[in-house]
Amino acid sequence: MTRLDVSATEHGVIRLYSLDMRPEEARFLQEPGAVAQLLGAETLDMDHVEVFPISDLEELGLDGYLTEGLGVPEDQFDRADLRARTGWVLMLRSRAFGGRALDLPLPAVLKPIGTYREAGTDWTGTPIETASALPHSAPRLSPRAARRKARNIGFALFAIIMSLIIVGLAWLIL
């Protein structure tokens, strides 16, 4: 028997299953709580669960949905196999489980198509070598100029507050 094994720290994993059931039954899985009940899970975040007929993807196909819609690299799946599939599918993202670990037996109506990983962000890059990127490269104010700037800001705030008080008193008097 196939199992659904999810660790609490899992992220970026997409599980795809074909649904071996009548279209009416598969359509019912789109209702809130139906997929969680089918899996035997307490709850699922339905923002990260999709149940749909492959025909809805039209010319994009299941392979295009994985690459363009979900960010799965093409080297993780067989394009021809996904193009040949028909019927309804269930897609579960790691976030659907809300960070909870699960180890559940899968019902017989779920046939695994594949488990895929979303492409991660490439954080590599070359160091920035321009003069403006160096620490403390901004022009420094002299202590006297910094005090003058602080006083100007303080005076401006004082003037605005006093103006509001005067306008408020004038409004109350009139």
Side-chain angles (χ1 to χ4, degrees):
M1 176 177 275
T2 309
R3 299 191 67 80
L4 175 62
D5 185 21
V6 179
S7 73
T9 58
E10 176 182 289
H11 67 281
V13 176
I14 299 167
R15 291 173 175 80
L16 195 60
Y17 301 94
S18 67
L19 298 173
D20 187 18
M21 56 179 62
R22 294 189 323 259
E24 302 82 37
E25 294 172 317
R27 196 171 293 110
F28 173 74
L29 290 178
Q30 294 174 327
E31 297 296 322
V35 175
Q37 183 179 2
L38 175 72
L39 294 174
E42 289 180 26
T43 59
L44 290 176
D45 183 351
M46 291 304 290
D47 289 338
H48 302 285
V49 175
E50 292 184 48
V51 178
F52 58 91
I54 295 173
S55 60
D56 280 359
L57 298 175
E58 297 176 352
E59 66 273 352
L60 181 66
L62 201 50
D63 58 323
Y65 180 67
L66 284 174
T67 56
E68 295 178 33
L70 300 174
V72 175
E74 287 187 44
D75 60 353
Q76 292 188 29
F77 56 83
D78 179 10
R79 182 178 290 274
D81 176 52
L82 293 179
R83 280 283 172 179
R85 292 194 177 267
T86 59
W88 285 71
V89 293
L90 167 66
M91 188 272 305
L92 297 168
R93 298 178 97 165
S94 295
R95 291 185 186 177
F97 306 106
R100 292 182 313 274
L102 292 173
D103 186 17
L104 304 169
L106 283 178
V109 295
L110 292 180
K111 307 293 183 204
I113 295 174
T115 302
Y116 312 103
R117 289 201 144 280
E118 295 176 76
T121 304
D122 181 11
W123 294 101
T124 61
T126 59
I128 301 173
E129 298 179 5
T130 60
S132 62
L134 295 173
H136 311 292
S137 62
R140 294 189 54 121
L141 294 175
S142 68
R144 184 176 182 175
R147 274 194 304 274
R148 187 174 345 115
K149 186 174 181 180
R151 284 185 186 145
N152 288 343
I153 291 172
F155 176 75
L157 286 173
F158 176 76
I160 290 171
I161 291 171
M162 291 308 290
S163 299
L164 290 173
I165 290 172
I166 292 170
V167 168
L169 288 175
W171 182 74
L172 285 175
I173 292 172
L174 297 175

